[in-house]
Amino acid sequence: GAGVSQSPSNKVTEKGKDVELRCDPISGHTALYWYRQSLGQGLEFLIYFQGNSAPDKSGLPSDRFSAERTGGSVSTLTIQRTQQEDSAVYLCASSLEWGAGYTFGSGTRLTVV
Amino acid sequence: AQSVSQHNHHVILSEAASLELGCNYSYGGTVNLFWYVQYPGQHLQLLLKYFSGDPLVKGIKGFEAEFIKSKFSFNLRKPSVQWSDTAEYFCAVNALSGTYKYIFGTGTRLKVLA
């Protein structure tokens, strides 16, 4: 597609439920990134996928967070047993190659109640 | 660990005033540097980037940034701001050390008064 597409745009969930967030990167972009944007916290790196290489999961805050990227394209970020502190905007970005600059999606605003 | 500092969290300016937003990073090696902007209700957009060469980088909408290696800084400037520049600005660093992730600053909220 023309841009990075994320769905849903908004998600309200009850504490303890699992959620799945989807990212569809720009076609042909080999690198895909997930970040979390909390109020006043800036952007926090979560996970990075590059081609067929093993993902860099160093930013995932706990084992309740996981992500996969199927077929080198669409990625899903899963949060299990959501907590209120998981409330944030989850941003996906893709890039054609390393260092090229990210193109961000519009994000998924997650609210855990 | 790498870090990025944006010391100005909130800036309020009148139209036509000059702007300078500070960005400092901590990493001793070679870096790529970026400024992103997020207008109200919109997604993050790349404003400008520095990879190598001329340390004075010009971006979109009249913005520019200067890389000063000795000061580990990459400050964003605009000679005359407009009301439409009201947005949040993020500085980001990518260290050329084999890692592909960007480290972002906490952002600066700019409000331009008409």
Side-chain angles (χ1 to χ4, degrees):
Chain A
V4 178
S5 178
Q6 291 188 246
S7 61
S9 55
N10 281 284
K11 176 73 177 178
V12 179
T13 189
E14 292 181 352
K15 178 181 173 181
K17 295 286 179 70
D18 298 351
V19 295
E20 283 190 355
L21 313 179
R22 176 188 168 102
C23 173
D24 196 347
I26 292 174
S27 178
H29 279 196
T30 58
L32 186 147
Y33 313 78
W34 283 98
Y35 281 79
R36 179 167 69 176
Q37 185 177 20
S38 304
L39 193 62
Q41 298 294 318
L43 277 74
E44 176 189 5
F45 168 79
L46 297 177
I47 189 168
Y48 159 74
F49 296 91
Q50 171 63 50
N52 295 320
S53 302
D56 177 355
K57 304 179 181 180
S58 61
L60 295 178
S62 77
D63 59 7
R64 296 187 295 104
F65 288 73
S66 63
E68 63 178 22
R69 188 179 185 190
T70 54
S73 181
V74 172
S75 176
T76 302
L77 176 69
T78 301
I79 309 173
Q80 296 178 309
R81 305 181 303 280
T82 52
Q83 304 295 313
Q84 287 186 329
E85 61 262 29
D86 299 335
S87 296
V89 176
Y90 289 82
L91 294 169
C92 177
S94 69
S95 67
L96 183 60
E97 59 187 6
W98 169 74
Y102 296 174
T103 299
F104 280 92
S106 298
T108 294
R109 181 175 297 279
L110 174 67
T111 304
V112 181
V113 298
Chain B
Q2 301 165 36
S3 65
V4 177
S5 297
Q6 291 182 245
H7 304 294
N8 313 104
H9 299 296
H10 292 90
V11 174
I12 301 175
L13 295 172
S14 298
E15 275 194 316
S18 64
L19 169 71
E20 180 159 4
L21 301 182
C23 173
N24 289 89
Y25 65 93
S26 64
Y27 181 70
T30 306
V31 294
N32 290 339
L33 298 156
F34 306 83
W35 276 97
Y36 282 83
V37 59
Q38 188 170 29
Y39 297 104
Q42 297 187 27
H43 61 274
L44 281 155
Q45 303 171 42
L46 181 65
L47 198 55
L48 49 78
K49 61 186 178 184
Y50 171 80
F51 286 178
S52 63
D54 189 344
L56 185 61
V57 179
K58 295 191 184 298
I60 60 173
K61 303 186 180 184
F63 285 91
E64 64 179 30
E66 185 175 12
F67 171 49
I68 303 179
K69 188 174 181 180
S70 61
K71 295 185 178 180
F72 299 91
S73 70
F74 190 56
N75 292 355
L76 181 71
R77 300 195 294 247
K78 186 171 184 179
S80 177
V81 295
Q82 300 174 317
W83 176 80
S84 58
D85 293 325
T86 295
E88 190 161 15
Y89 294 81
F90 294 90
C91 180
V93 172
N94 173 223
L96 302 184
S97 61
T99 178
Y100 298 89
K101 63 188 180 188
Y102 294 11
I103 305 300
F104 283 83
T106 53
T108 298
R109 288 185 182 271
L110 171 66
K111 183 171 184 177
V112 180
L113 305 175

